[in-house]
Amino acid sequence: MYEQALAIDPDFVAAIDGLASEISNQAARGMRPAEEGFRLAHELTERALELDPEYAHAHALLGSIYSSREQDLELAAKHQARAMELAPGDTGMIAYGAGMLMDLGRLNEAVTLLEYVIERDPVNPISHFNMGLYTLYAGRIEESIQSSQTALRLSPDFMGGYYNLSMAQLLGGSPAEALESAQKEPFEPLRLLAKIAAEHALGQAAAADADMAEMVEKYGQEWPYNIAYVVAYRGQTDNAFEWLEKAIEIRDTGLTEIHVQPLFANLHVDPRWLPILERLGLDPARLADIEFEVKLP
């Protein structure tokens, strides 16, 4: 439909930006080749900003692409700050700002911004989904479970909703519940990842191995980052670093969250861990130098 709109008016900024957003989402979820998808999305956002340099969402989306795909958090922060400056009080821009804070490892600040968004738009499942993820990363497990359950009540088929819930239940010490939730996840790669982790925690090694083999066969080319943290959780340290190298090679967008992903905990004492973060520009010293201040209305 965006393409139909652009066939009528090729310079319609909202349609250019909307098309870029959809293509970026497809690329991030493995529904379109990542290299092609993010290149197109980047080109479209640049085109939108040529036509309207003050179009806030295009700045926010470009910042997201710089962060997740191009791993340039400095540029990402500049565009996110500009988006929030252009649209102060816009809950969508504040939600992007929360994502930027999460990328910078400032999780509790990210949660505060999302709380502001949810107070003003309490029935948006995306916000509750993100809250479930950010509180999970922050170790606020009960809050994560509640947020994921709310997202699923609002949108029972929400992609990743049961995955988030499963991971929170797993880290909260309820692997049986985690497995039950994992089996309800509609998106197969996330379903497999959650099942593997829960099966491992339950001591079901054969089932975990079988699901891992299926995951690698079907999604190993496009999901190496996610495979890496599940392998790390299973205690297979060398294999986890091998998968991380594959993720770096293809510029897997998930790498933006490597420093906050709790399933990598087993790798934190390994001497190879900090050099990986430094290569990605996600080591604590680098993150601390990036300026991104948020003032809520």
Side-chain angles (χ1 to χ4, degrees):
M1 293 180 73
Y2 284 127
E3 289 171 344
Q4 290 175 30
L6 290 171
I8 298 168
D9 181 359
D11 292 338
F12 184 25
V13 174
I16 296 171
D17 175 72
L19 180 60
S21 183
E22 294 307 318
I23 290 174
S24 175
N25 284 337
Q26 289 176 345
R29 288 161 175 76
M31 302 166 71
R32 174 189 287 263
E35 189 70 30
E36 167 203 308
F38 284 109
R39 176 181 54 79
L40 286 173
H42 193 154
E43 290 173 358
L44 286 164
T45 53
E46 293 281 12
R47 170 65 175 155
L49 289 171
E50 286 176 7
L51 293 166
D52 184 354
E54 297 188 349
Y55 197 81
H57 188 270
H59 279 287
L61 180 57
L62 187 55
S64 179
I65 293 170
Y66 273 124
S67 177
S68 64
R69 179 62 180 178
E70 302 182 22
Q71 294 163 356
D72 188 334
L73 292 182
E74 287 89 351
L75 266 178
K78 289 178 181 178
H79 280 284
Q80 298 297 0
R82 182 59 175 152
M84 297 180 73
E85 178 186 358
L86 290 168
D90 184 296
T91 56
M93 299 309 101
I94 293 171
Y96 270 107
M100 187 74 242
L101 287 169
M102 188 271 290
D103 291 343
L104 294 172
R106 294 158 57 179
L107 295 168
N108 289 321
E109 293 178 66
V111 168
T112 297
L113 259 63
L114 270 187
E115 289 173 342
Y116 179 92
V117 171
I118 290 171
E119 285 175 2
R120 286 151 183 79
D121 186 7
V123 293
N124 186 338
I126 297 173
S127 297
H128 291 284
F129 169 85
N130 287 335
M131 183 66 87
L133 187 64
Y134 297 175
T135 49
L136 173 68
Y137 288 167
R140 297 160 61 168
I141 301 300
E142 287 304 316
E143 293 174 70
S144 178
I145 289 172
Q146 291 172 12
S147 294
S148 293
Q149 288 173 335
T150 300
L152 290 165
R153 281 196 298 271
L154 292 167
S155 180
D157 296 324
F158 196 97
M159 180 189 294
Y162 278 106
Y163 168 85
N164 271 6
L165 178 59
S166 176
M167 287 299 177
Q169 290 167 331
L170 178 71
L171 294 175
S174 300
E177 292 181 11
L179 182 57
E180 183 179 349
S181 295
Q183 292 166 338
K184 297 177 183 178
E185 169 58 47
F187 190 40
E188 184 178 58
L190 293 180
R191 182 170 66 249
L192 286 170
L193 290 164
K195 282 183 65 184
I196 294 164
E199 288 161 349
H200 171 75
L202 290 167
Q204 300 176 8
D209 287 344
D211 281 334
M212 179 60 78
E214 183 178 357
M215 182 72 199
V216 170
E217 180 182 358
K218 290 182 176 180
Y219 304 106
Q221 296 298 314
E222 295 182 346
W223 290 70
Y225 164 78
N226 305 78
I227 293 173
Y229 63 68
V230 173
V231 168
Y233 178 70
R234 297 187 72 189
Q236 300 166 352
T237 302
D238 290 341
N239 197 15
F241 279 107
E242 290 171 6
W243 280 106
L244 280 176
E245 289 295 339
K246 293 177 183 178
I248 292 170
E249 183 179 344
I250 70 163
R251 295 193 294 163
D252 192 313
T253 57
L255 287 164
T256 308
E257 303 177 8
I258 185 175
H259 56 308
V260 294
Q261 169 54 252
L263 295 194
F264 280 124
N266 289 334
L267 304 190
H268 290 179
V269 297
D270 192 287
R272 293 169 287 185
W273 178 249
L274 184 57
I276 286 278
L277 296 185
E278 290 172 341
R279 285 167 61 188
L280 296 170
L282 293 171
D283 54 290
R286 178 74 177 277
L287 293 178
D289 286 339
I290 298 174
E291 295 184 6
F292 184 66
E293 297 301 323
V294 176
K295 294 182 180 179
L296 291 172

